[in-house]
Short mmCIF file of all heavy atoms in Angstrom, two decimals:
data_model
loop_
_atom_site.label_atom_id
_atom_site.label_comp_id
_atom_site.label_asym_id
_atom_site.label_seq_id
_atom_site.Cartn_x
_atom_site.Cartn_y
_atom_site.Cartn_z
N MET A 1272 -2.61 -18.78 -3.98
CA MET A 1272 -2.43 -17.35 -4.04
C MET A 1272 -1.66 -16.90 -2.80
O MET A 1272 -1.96 -17.34 -1.70
CB MET A 1272 -3.79 -16.67 -4.12
CG MET A 1272 -3.70 -15.26 -4.55
SD MET A 1272 -5.22 -14.60 -5.28
CE MET A 1272 -5.33 -15.53 -6.79
N LYS A 1273 -0.67 -16.03 -2.96
CA LYS A 1273 0.16 -15.57 -1.85
C LYS A 1273 -0.58 -14.57 -0.97
O LYS A 1273 -1.29 -13.69 -1.45
CB LYS A 1273 1.43 -14.88 -2.37
CG LYS A 1273 2.40 -15.78 -3.06
CD LYS A 1273 3.60 -14.97 -3.51
CE LYS A 1273 4.54 -15.81 -4.34
NZ LYS A 1273 5.67 -15.01 -4.83
N LEU A 1274 -0.36 -14.68 0.34
CA LEU A 1274 -0.86 -13.72 1.31
C LEU A 1274 0.33 -12.90 1.77
O LEU A 1274 1.34 -13.47 2.22
CB LEU A 1274 -1.50 -14.46 2.48
CG LEU A 1274 -2.28 -13.66 3.49
CD1 LEU A 1274 -3.43 -12.90 2.84
CD2 LEU A 1274 -2.82 -14.58 4.58
N ILE A 1275 0.27 -11.56 1.63
CA ILE A 1275 1.41 -10.71 1.94
C ILE A 1275 1.00 -9.51 2.80
O ILE A 1275 -0.18 -9.16 2.89
CB ILE A 1275 2.12 -10.19 0.66
CG1 ILE A 1275 1.20 -9.27 -0.15
CG2 ILE A 1275 2.64 -11.33 -0.19
CD1 ILE A 1275 1.92 -8.56 -1.30
N GLU A 1276 2.01 -8.90 3.43
CA GLU A 1276 1.85 -7.63 4.13
C GLU A 1276 2.84 -6.65 3.49
O GLU A 1276 3.99 -6.99 3.27
CB GLU A 1276 2.15 -7.76 5.61
CG GLU A 1276 2.02 -6.43 6.34
CD GLU A 1276 2.45 -6.52 7.79
OE1 GLU A 1276 3.59 -6.96 8.04
OE2 GLU A 1276 1.66 -6.16 8.64
N VAL A 1277 2.36 -5.45 3.20
CA VAL A 1277 3.18 -4.43 2.56
C VAL A 1277 3.13 -3.16 3.40
O VAL A 1277 2.05 -2.73 3.82
CB VAL A 1277 2.67 -4.12 1.13
CG1 VAL A 1277 3.49 -3.05 0.47
CG2 VAL A 1277 2.67 -5.37 0.28
N GLU A 1278 4.30 -2.58 3.66
CA GLU A 1278 4.37 -1.26 4.28
C GLU A 1278 4.74 -0.28 3.18
O GLU A 1278 5.66 -0.54 2.42
CB GLU A 1278 5.40 -1.25 5.40
CG GLU A 1278 5.40 0.03 6.20
CD GLU A 1278 6.32 -0.06 7.40
OE1 GLU A 1278 5.93 -0.68 8.41
OE2 GLU A 1278 7.44 0.47 7.30
N TRP A 1279 4.01 0.84 3.10
CA TRP A 1279 4.23 1.77 2.00
C TRP A 1279 3.91 3.19 2.44
O TRP A 1279 3.24 3.41 3.44
CB TRP A 1279 3.39 1.35 0.79
CG TRP A 1279 1.93 1.17 1.05
CD1 TRP A 1279 1.33 0.14 1.71
CD2 TRP A 1279 0.88 2.04 0.65
NE1 TRP A 1279 -0.03 0.31 1.73
CE2 TRP A 1279 -0.34 1.47 1.09
CE3 TRP A 1279 0.83 3.23 -0.06
CZ2 TRP A 1279 -1.57 2.05 0.87
CZ3 TRP A 1279 -0.41 3.81 -0.30
CH2 TRP A 1279 -1.58 3.22 0.17
N VAL A 1280 4.45 4.16 1.71
CA VAL A 1280 4.21 5.56 2.02
C VAL A 1280 3.20 6.14 1.04
O VAL A 1280 3.16 5.77 -0.12
CB VAL A 1280 5.51 6.40 2.01
CG1 VAL A 1280 6.41 6.00 3.16
CG2 VAL A 1280 6.25 6.27 0.70
N ASP A 1281 2.38 7.05 1.55
CA ASP A 1281 1.33 7.67 0.75
C ASP A 1281 1.34 9.17 1.03
O ASP A 1281 1.86 9.62 2.05
CB ASP A 1281 -0.02 7.07 1.13
CG ASP A 1281 -1.11 7.36 0.10
OD1 ASP A 1281 -0.80 7.95 -0.96
OD2 ASP A 1281 -2.26 7.00 0.35
N SER A 1282 0.74 9.91 0.14
CA SER A 1282 0.59 11.35 0.35
C SER A 1282 -0.29 11.60 1.57
O SER A 1282 -1.16 10.80 1.89
CB SER A 1282 -0.08 12.00 -0.86
OG SER A 1282 0.64 11.72 -2.03
N ALA A 1283 -0.05 12.73 2.24
CA ALA A 1283 -0.87 13.11 3.38
C ALA A 1283 -1.20 14.59 3.27
O ALA A 1283 -0.41 15.37 2.74
CB ALA A 1283 -0.13 12.83 4.69
N SER A 1284 -2.36 14.96 3.74
CA SER A 1284 -2.74 16.38 3.71
C SER A 1284 -3.38 16.76 5.04
O SER A 1284 -3.76 15.90 5.83
CB SER A 1284 -3.72 16.65 2.56
OG SER A 1284 -4.94 15.99 2.80
N GLN A 1285 -3.45 18.06 5.28
CA GLN A 1285 -4.10 18.58 6.48
C GLN A 1285 -5.15 19.58 6.04
O GLN A 1285 -4.98 20.29 5.05
CB GLN A 1285 -3.07 19.22 7.40
CG GLN A 1285 -2.04 18.24 7.88
CD GLN A 1285 -0.98 18.89 8.74
OE1 GLN A 1285 -0.95 20.10 8.90
NE2 GLN A 1285 -0.10 18.09 9.28
N ASP A 1286 -6.21 19.66 6.80
CA ASP A 1286 -7.32 20.52 6.46
C ASP A 1286 -7.22 21.85 7.19
O ASP A 1286 -6.73 21.92 8.31
CB ASP A 1286 -8.63 19.81 6.85
CG ASP A 1286 -9.85 20.48 6.27
OD1 ASP A 1286 -9.71 21.24 5.29
OD2 ASP A 1286 -10.94 20.24 6.80
N GLY A 1287 -7.66 22.91 6.54
CA GLY A 1287 -7.70 24.23 7.18
C GLY A 1287 -6.35 24.93 7.17
O GLY A 1287 -5.39 24.48 6.56
N TRP A 1288 -6.29 26.05 7.85
CA TRP A 1288 -5.06 26.84 7.92
C TRP A 1288 -4.02 26.12 8.76
O TRP A 1288 -4.32 25.58 9.82
CB TRP A 1288 -5.33 28.21 8.54
CG TRP A 1288 -6.00 29.13 7.59
CD1 TRP A 1288 -7.35 29.35 7.47
CD2 TRP A 1288 -5.38 29.95 6.62
NE1 TRP A 1288 -7.60 30.26 6.49
CE2 TRP A 1288 -6.39 30.65 5.94
CE3 TRP A 1288 -4.06 30.17 6.24
CZ2 TRP A 1288 -6.14 31.55 4.92
CZ3 TRP A 1288 -3.80 31.07 5.23
CH2 TRP A 1288 -4.84 31.74 4.58
N GLN A 1289 -2.78 26.10 8.27
CA GLN A 1289 -1.67 25.45 8.97
C GLN A 1289 -0.44 26.34 8.89
O GLN A 1289 -0.26 27.07 7.92
CB GLN A 1289 -1.33 24.10 8.31
CG GLN A 1289 -2.47 23.13 8.23
CD GLN A 1289 -2.82 22.53 9.56
OE1 GLN A 1289 -1.97 22.29 10.39
NE2 GLN A 1289 -4.11 22.32 9.78
N PHE A 1290 0.42 26.28 9.91
CA PHE A 1290 1.71 26.95 9.81
C PHE A 1290 2.54 26.21 8.78
O PHE A 1290 2.43 24.99 8.62
CB PHE A 1290 2.43 26.96 11.16
CG PHE A 1290 1.83 27.91 12.13
CD1 PHE A 1290 1.00 27.45 13.14
CD2 PHE A 1290 2.08 29.27 12.03
CE1 PHE A 1290 0.43 28.33 14.03
CE2 PHE A 1290 1.52 30.16 12.92
CZ PHE A 1290 0.69 29.70 13.93
N LYS A 1291 3.39 26.95 8.07
CA LYS A 1291 4.25 26.31 7.07
C LYS A 1291 5.19 25.34 7.78
O LYS A 1291 5.83 25.69 8.76
CB LYS A 1291 5.08 27.35 6.33
CG LYS A 1291 4.26 28.23 5.42
CD LYS A 1291 5.17 29.21 4.70
CE LYS A 1291 4.36 30.12 3.81
NZ LYS A 1291 5.21 31.12 3.15
N PRO A 1292 5.30 24.10 7.27
CA PRO A 1292 6.22 23.15 7.87
C PRO A 1292 7.66 23.62 7.68
O PRO A 1292 8.03 24.11 6.61
CB PRO A 1292 5.97 21.85 7.13
CG PRO A 1292 4.82 22.08 6.22
CD PRO A 1292 4.54 23.54 6.18
N SER A 1293 8.48 23.46 8.71
CA SER A 1293 9.88 23.92 8.61
C SER A 1293 10.71 23.02 7.70
O SER A 1293 11.70 23.46 7.14
CB SER A 1293 10.51 23.96 10.00
OG SER A 1293 10.48 22.68 10.59
N ARG A 1294 10.32 21.78 7.55
CA ARG A 1294 11.09 20.85 6.70
C ARG A 1294 10.23 20.19 5.64
O ARG A 1294 10.49 19.07 5.24
CB ARG A 1294 11.71 19.76 7.55
CG ARG A 1294 12.69 20.28 8.55
CD ARG A 1294 13.32 19.13 9.25
NE ARG A 1294 13.61 19.48 10.62
CZ ARG A 1294 14.40 18.80 11.39
NH1 ARG A 1294 14.97 17.72 10.95
NH2 ARG A 1294 14.61 19.16 12.62
N GLY A 1295 9.19 20.80 5.23
CA GLY A 1295 8.31 20.18 4.25
C GLY A 1295 7.21 19.39 4.93
O GLY A 1295 7.21 19.23 6.14
N GLY A 1296 6.30 18.89 4.15
CA GLY A 1296 5.16 18.17 4.69
C GLY A 1296 5.49 16.75 5.10
O GLY A 1296 6.60 16.26 4.89
N ARG A 1297 4.51 16.10 5.69
CA ARG A 1297 4.67 14.71 6.12
C ARG A 1297 4.04 13.78 5.09
O ARG A 1297 3.22 14.20 4.29
CB ARG A 1297 3.98 14.49 7.46
CG ARG A 1297 4.56 15.32 8.56
CD ARG A 1297 3.89 15.03 9.86
NE ARG A 1297 2.44 15.04 9.73
CZ ARG A 1297 1.60 14.81 10.70
NH1 ARG A 1297 2.03 14.55 11.90
NH2 ARG A 1297 0.29 14.83 10.51
N VAL A 1298 4.43 12.53 5.17
CA VAL A 1298 3.77 11.48 4.39
C VAL A 1298 3.15 10.49 5.37
O VAL A 1298 3.55 10.42 6.52
CB VAL A 1298 4.74 10.74 3.43
CG1 VAL A 1298 5.26 11.68 2.36
CG2 VAL A 1298 5.88 10.10 4.18
N ALA A 1299 2.18 9.75 4.91
CA ALA A 1299 1.53 8.74 5.75
C ALA A 1299 2.20 7.39 5.52
O ALA A 1299 2.43 7.00 4.37
CB ALA A 1299 0.05 8.67 5.40
N THR A 1300 2.52 6.69 6.59
CA THR A 1300 3.04 5.33 6.49
C THR A 1300 1.86 4.39 6.65
O THR A 1300 1.14 4.45 7.65
CB THR A 1300 4.10 5.05 7.56
OG1 THR A 1300 5.18 5.97 7.38
CG2 THR A 1300 4.63 3.64 7.45
N CYS A 1301 1.64 3.54 5.67
CA CYS A 1301 0.49 2.64 5.64
C CYS A 1301 0.96 1.19 5.68
O CYS A 1301 2.06 0.87 5.23
CB CYS A 1301 -0.32 2.85 4.36
SG CYS A 1301 -0.80 4.55 4.08
N ARG A 1302 0.10 0.32 6.19
CA ARG A 1302 0.34 -1.12 6.15
C ARG A 1302 -0.90 -1.79 5.60
O ARG A 1302 -2.01 -1.51 6.05
CB ARG A 1302 0.59 -1.63 7.56
CG ARG A 1302 1.96 -2.19 7.72
CD ARG A 1302 2.10 -2.85 9.03
NE ARG A 1302 3.25 -2.26 9.68
CZ ARG A 1302 3.51 -2.33 10.94
NH1 ARG A 1302 2.69 -2.97 11.74
NH2 ARG A 1302 4.57 -1.79 11.43
N THR A 1303 -0.71 -2.67 4.63
CA THR A 1303 -1.82 -3.38 4.00
C THR A 1303 -1.47 -4.86 3.96
O THR A 1303 -0.36 -5.23 3.58
CB THR A 1303 -2.05 -2.86 2.57
OG1 THR A 1303 -2.31 -1.46 2.62
CG2 THR A 1303 -3.22 -3.56 1.92
N ALA A 1304 -2.44 -5.69 4.32
CA ALA A 1304 -2.27 -7.14 4.23
C ALA A 1304 -3.40 -7.69 3.36
O ALA A 1304 -4.53 -7.22 3.43
CB ALA A 1304 -2.31 -7.79 5.61
N GLY A 1305 -3.06 -8.67 2.54
CA GLY A 1305 -4.07 -9.27 1.69
C GLY A 1305 -3.47 -10.24 0.70
O GLY A 1305 -2.30 -10.58 0.78
N TYR A 1306 -4.30 -10.64 -0.24
CA TYR A 1306 -3.88 -11.59 -1.27
C TYR A 1306 -3.23 -10.83 -2.42
O TYR A 1306 -3.76 -9.83 -2.89
CB TYR A 1306 -5.08 -12.37 -1.79
CG TYR A 1306 -5.65 -13.29 -0.75
CD1 TYR A 1306 -6.74 -12.89 0.03
CD2 TYR A 1306 -5.11 -14.55 -0.55
CE1 TYR A 1306 -7.26 -13.73 0.99
CE2 TYR A 1306 -5.62 -15.39 0.41
CZ TYR A 1306 -6.70 -14.98 1.18
OH TYR A 1306 -7.21 -15.81 2.14
N LEU A 1307 -2.07 -11.30 -2.85
CA LEU A 1307 -1.39 -10.72 -4.01
C LEU A 1307 -2.12 -11.19 -5.27
O LEU A 1307 -2.08 -12.35 -5.63
CB LEU A 1307 0.07 -11.15 -4.04
CG LEU A 1307 0.89 -10.64 -5.22
CD1 LEU A 1307 0.96 -9.12 -5.22
CD2 LEU A 1307 2.29 -11.24 -5.18
N ILE A 1308 -2.81 -10.26 -5.92
CA ILE A 1308 -3.62 -10.58 -7.09
C ILE A 1308 -2.81 -10.51 -8.37
O ILE A 1308 -2.94 -11.34 -9.26
CB ILE A 1308 -4.82 -9.61 -7.18
CG1 ILE A 1308 -5.65 -9.65 -5.90
CG2 ILE A 1308 -5.66 -9.89 -8.41
CD1 ILE A 1308 -6.20 -11.00 -5.56
N HIS A 1309 -1.97 -9.47 -8.46
CA HIS A 1309 -1.21 -9.24 -9.70
C HIS A 1309 0.04 -8.43 -9.35
O HIS A 1309 0.02 -7.60 -8.45
CB HIS A 1309 -2.07 -8.47 -10.70
CG HIS A 1309 -1.42 -8.27 -12.02
ND1 HIS A 1309 -1.21 -9.29 -12.92
CD2 HIS A 1309 -0.92 -7.15 -12.61
CE1 HIS A 1309 -0.62 -8.81 -14.00
NE2 HIS A 1309 -0.43 -7.51 -13.83
N GLU A 1310 1.13 -8.68 -10.08
CA GLU A 1310 2.36 -7.94 -9.85
C GLU A 1310 3.06 -7.71 -11.18
O GLU A 1310 3.14 -8.61 -12.02
CB GLU A 1310 3.27 -8.72 -8.90
CG GLU A 1310 4.54 -8.00 -8.57
CD GLU A 1310 5.33 -8.67 -7.46
OE1 GLU A 1310 5.01 -9.82 -7.09
OE2 GLU A 1310 6.28 -8.05 -6.98
N THR A 1311 3.56 -6.48 -11.36
CA THR A 1311 4.38 -6.14 -12.51
C THR A 1311 5.68 -5.52 -12.00
O THR A 1311 5.88 -5.42 -10.78
CB THR A 1311 3.68 -5.13 -13.45
OG1 THR A 1311 3.59 -3.86 -12.80
CG2 THR A 1311 2.30 -5.61 -13.88
N LYS A 1312 6.51 -5.08 -12.91
CA LYS A 1312 7.76 -4.42 -12.55
C LYS A 1312 7.52 -3.14 -11.74
O LYS A 1312 8.30 -2.79 -10.87
CB LYS A 1312 8.53 -4.09 -13.83
CG LYS A 1312 9.87 -3.49 -13.62
CD LYS A 1312 10.55 -3.24 -14.96
CE LYS A 1312 11.82 -2.46 -14.79
NZ LYS A 1312 12.46 -2.17 -16.08
N ARG A 1313 6.39 -2.46 -11.98
CA ARG A 1313 6.13 -1.15 -11.37
C ARG A 1313 5.08 -1.13 -10.26
O ARG A 1313 5.00 -0.17 -9.51
CB ARG A 1313 5.70 -0.17 -12.44
CG ARG A 1313 6.80 0.12 -13.42
CD ARG A 1313 6.38 1.19 -14.37
NE ARG A 1313 7.48 1.53 -15.25
CZ ARG A 1313 7.43 2.43 -16.17
NH1 ARG A 1313 6.31 3.11 -16.37
NH2 ARG A 1313 8.48 2.69 -16.92
N ARG A 1314 4.26 -2.17 -10.15
CA ARG A 1314 3.17 -2.11 -9.16
C ARG A 1314 2.74 -3.51 -8.74
O ARG A 1314 3.06 -4.50 -9.38
CB ARG A 1314 1.98 -1.37 -9.74
CG ARG A 1314 1.35 -2.05 -10.93
CD ARG A 1314 0.24 -1.22 -11.54
NE ARG A 1314 -0.25 -1.84 -12.75
CZ ARG A 1314 0.21 -1.63 -13.97
NH1 ARG A 1314 1.20 -0.78 -14.16
NH2 ARG A 1314 -0.28 -2.25 -15.01
N LEU A 1315 2.01 -3.54 -7.61
CA LEU A 1315 1.35 -4.78 -7.22
C LEU A 1315 -0.08 -4.48 -6.82
O LEU A 1315 -0.42 -3.34 -6.48
CB LEU A 1315 2.11 -5.51 -6.11
CG LEU A 1315 2.44 -4.82 -4.81
CD1 LEU A 1315 1.27 -4.84 -3.86
CD2 LEU A 1315 3.60 -5.53 -4.17
N VAL A 1316 -0.91 -5.49 -6.89
CA VAL A 1316 -2.33 -5.35 -6.59
C VAL A 1316 -2.67 -6.34 -5.48
O VAL A 1316 -2.37 -7.53 -5.58
CB VAL A 1316 -3.21 -5.63 -7.83
CG1 VAL A 1316 -4.69 -5.46 -7.49
CG2 VAL A 1316 -2.82 -4.73 -8.99
N ILE A 1317 -3.28 -5.82 -4.39
CA ILE A 1317 -3.65 -6.63 -3.23
C ILE A 1317 -5.16 -6.52 -3.01
O ILE A 1317 -5.73 -5.44 -3.17
CB ILE A 1317 -2.93 -6.11 -1.97
CG1 ILE A 1317 -1.42 -6.25 -2.11
CG2 ILE A 1317 -3.41 -6.84 -0.73
CD1 ILE A 1317 -0.66 -5.66 -0.95
N ALA A 1318 -5.77 -7.62 -2.63
CA ALA A 1318 -7.19 -7.61 -2.25
C ALA A 1318 -7.35 -8.35 -0.93
O ALA A 1318 -6.71 -9.37 -0.71
CB ALA A 1318 -8.05 -8.26 -3.33
N GLY A 1319 -8.23 -7.83 -0.07
CA GLY A 1319 -8.45 -8.45 1.23
C GLY A 1319 -9.34 -9.67 1.19
O GLY A 1319 -9.23 -10.56 2.02
N SER A 1320 -10.25 -9.71 0.22
CA SER A 1320 -11.17 -10.84 0.09
C SER A 1320 -11.20 -11.31 -1.36
O SER A 1320 -11.17 -10.48 -2.28
CB SER A 1320 -12.59 -10.43 0.49
OG SER A 1320 -12.63 -10.05 1.84
N ILE A 1321 -11.25 -12.63 -1.54
CA ILE A 1321 -11.29 -13.20 -2.88
C ILE A 1321 -12.29 -14.34 -2.94
O ILE A 1321 -12.63 -14.93 -1.92
CB ILE A 1321 -9.89 -13.71 -3.33
CG1 ILE A 1321 -9.39 -14.81 -2.39
CG2 ILE A 1321 -8.90 -12.57 -3.42
CD1 ILE A 1321 -8.12 -15.49 -2.86
N SER A 1322 -12.76 -14.61 -4.14
CA SER A 1322 -13.55 -15.81 -4.42
C SER A 1322 -12.96 -16.40 -5.69
O SER A 1322 -12.09 -15.79 -6.31
CB SER A 1322 -15.03 -15.45 -4.61
OG SER A 1322 -15.26 -14.90 -5.88
N PRO A 1323 -13.43 -17.56 -6.14
CA PRO A 1323 -12.87 -18.12 -7.37
C PRO A 1323 -13.03 -17.22 -8.59
O PRO A 1323 -12.20 -17.25 -9.50
CB PRO A 1323 -13.65 -19.43 -7.54
CG PRO A 1323 -14.03 -19.82 -6.16
CD PRO A 1323 -14.32 -18.51 -5.46
N GLU A 1324 -14.05 -16.37 -8.61
CA GLU A 1324 -14.30 -15.53 -9.79
C GLU A 1324 -14.06 -14.04 -9.56
O GLU A 1324 -13.97 -13.28 -10.52
CB GLU A 1324 -15.75 -15.69 -10.28
CG GLU A 1324 -16.14 -17.07 -10.70
CD GLU A 1324 -16.60 -17.92 -9.52
OE1 GLU A 1324 -17.04 -17.36 -8.51
OE2 GLU A 1324 -16.49 -19.15 -9.61
N GLN A 1325 -14.00 -13.58 -8.31
CA GLN A 1325 -13.96 -12.14 -8.04
C GLN A 1325 -12.98 -11.78 -6.95
O GLN A 1325 -12.57 -12.63 -6.16
CB GLN A 1325 -15.35 -11.66 -7.61
CG GLN A 1325 -16.43 -11.84 -8.64
CD GLN A 1325 -17.78 -11.44 -8.10
OE1 GLN A 1325 -18.15 -11.78 -6.98
NE2 GLN A 1325 -18.53 -10.69 -8.90
N VAL A 1326 -12.63 -10.49 -6.90
CA VAL A 1326 -11.85 -9.92 -5.80
C VAL A 1326 -12.62 -8.71 -5.27
O VAL A 1326 -13.34 -8.06 -6.01
CB VAL A 1326 -10.43 -9.51 -6.24
CG1 VAL A 1326 -9.65 -10.71 -6.72
CG2 VAL A 1326 -10.46 -8.43 -7.30
N MET A 1327 -12.45 -8.41 -3.99
CA MET A 1327 -13.15 -7.27 -3.40
C MET A 1327 -12.18 -6.12 -3.16
O MET A 1327 -11.14 -6.29 -2.52
CB MET A 1327 -13.81 -7.64 -2.08
CG MET A 1327 -14.54 -6.47 -1.43
SD MET A 1327 -15.28 -6.89 0.13
CE MET A 1327 -16.80 -7.57 -0.46
N SER A 1328 -12.50 -4.96 -3.70
CA SER A 1328 -11.76 -3.70 -3.47
C SER A 1328 -10.25 -3.86 -3.65
O SER A 1328 -9.48 -3.62 -2.71
CB SER A 1328 -12.07 -3.15 -2.08
OG SER A 1328 -13.44 -2.94 -1.92
N PRO A 1329 -9.79 -4.24 -4.82
CA PRO A 1329 -8.34 -4.38 -5.02
C PRO A 1329 -7.64 -3.03 -4.88
O PRO A 1329 -8.17 -1.99 -5.26
CB PRO A 1329 -8.22 -4.92 -6.44
CG PRO A 1329 -9.49 -4.54 -7.12
CD PRO A 1329 -10.54 -4.51 -6.05
N LEU A 1330 -6.45 -3.05 -4.29
CA LEU A 1330 -5.64 -1.86 -4.09
C LEU A 1330 -4.36 -1.99 -4.90
O LEU A 1330 -3.63 -2.99 -4.75
CB LEU A 1330 -5.30 -1.69 -2.61
CG LEU A 1330 -4.34 -0.57 -2.23
CD1 LEU A 1330 -4.98 0.79 -2.53
CD2 LEU A 1330 -3.96 -0.67 -0.76
N THR A 1331 -4.07 -1.02 -5.76
CA THR A 1331 -2.84 -1.00 -6.55
C THR A 1331 -1.84 -0.09 -5.86
O THR A 1331 -2.14 1.07 -5.58
CB THR A 1331 -3.12 -0.50 -7.98
OG1 THR A 1331 -4.08 -1.37 -8.59
CG2 THR A 1331 -1.85 -0.48 -8.81
N ILE A 1332 -0.65 -0.61 -5.57
CA ILE A 1332 0.40 0.15 -4.90
C ILE A 1332 1.62 0.23 -5.81
O ILE A 1332 2.15 -0.80 -6.21
CB ILE A 1332 0.80 -0.51 -3.56
CG1 ILE A 1332 -0.43 -0.69 -2.67
CG2 ILE A 1332 1.88 0.32 -2.86
CD1 ILE A 1332 -0.17 -1.51 -1.43
N PRO A 1333 2.10 1.45 -6.12
CA PRO A 1333 3.33 1.57 -6.91
C PRO A 1333 4.52 1.02 -6.10
O PRO A 1333 4.63 1.29 -4.89
CB PRO A 1333 3.49 3.07 -7.13
CG PRO A 1333 2.16 3.67 -6.81
CD PRO A 1333 1.51 2.75 -5.82
N LYS A 1334 5.38 0.27 -6.72
CA LYS A 1334 6.51 -0.33 -6.02
C LYS A 1334 7.48 0.71 -5.46
O LYS A 1334 8.13 0.45 -4.45
CB LYS A 1334 7.23 -1.33 -6.92
CG LYS A 1334 6.47 -2.62 -7.07
CD LYS A 1334 7.31 -3.68 -7.75
CE LYS A 1334 6.59 -5.01 -7.74
NZ LYS A 1334 7.37 -6.04 -8.45
N VAL A 1335 7.55 1.88 -6.07
CA VAL A 1335 8.44 2.92 -5.54
C VAL A 1335 7.98 3.40 -4.17
O VAL A 1335 8.76 3.98 -3.41
CB VAL A 1335 8.58 4.12 -6.50
CG1 VAL A 1335 9.22 3.69 -7.81
CG2 VAL A 1335 7.24 4.78 -6.75
N ALA A 1336 6.72 3.17 -3.82
CA ALA A 1336 6.18 3.59 -2.53
C ALA A 1336 6.37 2.53 -1.43
O ALA A 1336 6.18 2.81 -0.26
CB ALA A 1336 4.70 3.92 -2.66
N ILE A 1337 6.76 1.32 -1.81
CA ILE A 1337 6.88 0.22 -0.85
C ILE A 1337 8.20 0.30 -0.10
O ILE A 1337 9.26 0.38 -0.70
CB ILE A 1337 6.74 -1.14 -1.56
CG1 ILE A 1337 5.33 -1.26 -2.15
CG2 ILE A 1337 7.03 -2.29 -0.61
CD1 ILE A 1337 5.12 -2.48 -3.03
N THR A 1338 8.11 0.28 1.25
CA THR A 1338 9.31 0.32 2.08
C THR A 1338 9.63 -1.04 2.68
O THR A 1338 10.77 -1.28 3.10
CB THR A 1338 9.15 1.35 3.21
OG1 THR A 1338 8.00 1.02 3.99
CG2 THR A 1338 9.01 2.75 2.66
N ARG A 1339 8.64 -1.91 2.77
CA ARG A 1339 8.85 -3.25 3.33
C ARG A 1339 7.77 -4.19 2.81
O ARG A 1339 6.64 -3.78 2.59
CB ARG A 1339 8.81 -3.21 4.84
CG ARG A 1339 9.34 -4.46 5.50
CD ARG A 1339 9.36 -4.29 6.98
NE ARG A 1339 7.96 -4.29 7.44
CZ ARG A 1339 7.57 -4.70 8.63
NH1 ARG A 1339 8.45 -5.08 9.50
NH2 ARG A 1339 6.30 -4.69 8.95
N ARG A 1340 8.15 -5.44 2.63
CA ARG A 1340 7.20 -6.44 2.13
C ARG A 1340 7.56 -7.78 2.74
O ARG A 1340 8.72 -8.14 2.83
CB ARG A 1340 7.32 -6.50 0.60
CG ARG A 1340 6.54 -7.61 -0.05
CD ARG A 1340 6.79 -7.59 -1.54
NE ARG A 1340 6.21 -8.73 -2.20
CZ ARG A 1340 6.06 -8.85 -3.49
NH1 ARG A 1340 6.48 -7.90 -4.30
NH2 ARG A 1340 5.52 -9.92 -4.01
N ARG A 1341 6.53 -8.53 3.18
CA ARG A 1341 6.79 -9.88 3.71
C ARG A 1341 5.62 -10.80 3.40
O ARG A 1341 4.48 -10.35 3.30
CB ARG A 1341 7.09 -9.85 5.20
CG ARG A 1341 5.91 -9.53 6.06
CD ARG A 1341 6.33 -9.47 7.54
NE ARG A 1341 5.19 -9.18 8.36
CZ ARG A 1341 4.67 -10.01 9.24
NH1 ARG A 1341 5.21 -11.19 9.42
NH2 ARG A 1341 3.62 -9.65 9.95
N ARG A 1342 5.94 -12.05 3.25
CA ARG A 1342 4.91 -13.05 2.97
C ARG A 1342 4.32 -13.54 4.28
O ARG A 1342 5.05 -13.76 5.26
CB ARG A 1342 5.53 -14.22 2.20
CG ARG A 1342 4.51 -15.21 1.74
CD ARG A 1342 5.10 -16.21 0.80
NE ARG A 1342 4.04 -17.10 0.35
CZ ARG A 1342 4.18 -17.99 -0.59
NH1 ARG A 1342 5.34 -18.11 -1.18
NH2 ARG A 1342 3.20 -18.76 -0.94
N LEU A 1343 3.02 -13.69 4.33
CA LEU A 1343 2.32 -14.19 5.51
C LEU A 1343 1.96 -15.65 5.30
O LEU A 1343 1.79 -16.10 4.18
CB LEU A 1343 1.05 -13.37 5.77
CG LEU A 1343 1.25 -11.87 5.96
CD1 LEU A 1343 -0.09 -11.16 6.07
CD2 LEU A 1343 2.09 -11.59 7.19
N ARG A 1344 1.81 -16.39 6.38
CA ARG A 1344 1.42 -17.80 6.30
C ARG A 1344 0.14 -18.04 7.03
O ARG A 1344 -0.22 -17.42 7.94
CB ARG A 1344 2.51 -18.67 6.89
CG ARG A 1344 3.75 -18.58 6.06
CD ARG A 1344 4.83 -19.43 6.65
NE ARG A 1344 6.04 -19.15 5.90
CZ ARG A 1344 6.86 -20.07 5.47
NH1 ARG A 1344 6.63 -21.32 5.75
NH2 ARG A 1344 7.93 -19.75 4.82
#
């Protein structure tokens, strides 16, 4: 099973009253490392822990959100 690191963008929000952003809101840049469980044309699924029968807390990331991807050794 491949071990990968993915950098991706996600929605971000702020709590409470805020001044209107002059150029729109911000997005969060995230980094996730784990085992590549499944991949399709539109998304990939990563899990940090695996066993022969199970995966723990799999994360599905849309490929349009991915800005960088690399294989780990």
Side-chain angles (χ1 to χ4, degrees):
M1272 196 157 293
K1273 292 180 186 177
L1274 190 58
I1275 65 171
E1276 178 186 55
V1277 179
E1278 187 173 282
W1279 54 286
V1280 292
D1281 196 5
S1282 304
S1284 67
Q1285 298 177 355
D1286 192 20
W1288 284 94
Q1289 303 287 325
F1290 287 101
K1291 290 181 181 177
S1293 60
R1294 298 185 213 195
R1297 298 182 312 179
V1298 295
T1300 300
C1301 307
R1302 244 188 234 162
T1303 302
Y1306 293 96
L1307 179 62
I1308 303 302
H1309 184 71
E1310 182 171 12
T1311 69
K1312 183 179 172 182
R1313 294 186 176 181
R1314 64 185 175 270
L1315 56 81
V1316 181
I1317 297 176
S1320 298
I1321 61 172
S1322 78
E1324 299 86 24
Q1325 298 176 315
V1326 299
M1327 180 182 275
S1328 302
L1330 174 66
T1331 301
I1332 305 172
K1334 285 190 173 178
V1335 297
I1337 296 172
T1338 57
R1339 194 176 70 151
R1340 172 183 173 167
R1341 70 182 181 114
R1342 187 170 182 172
L1343 302 175
R1344 295 180 187 225

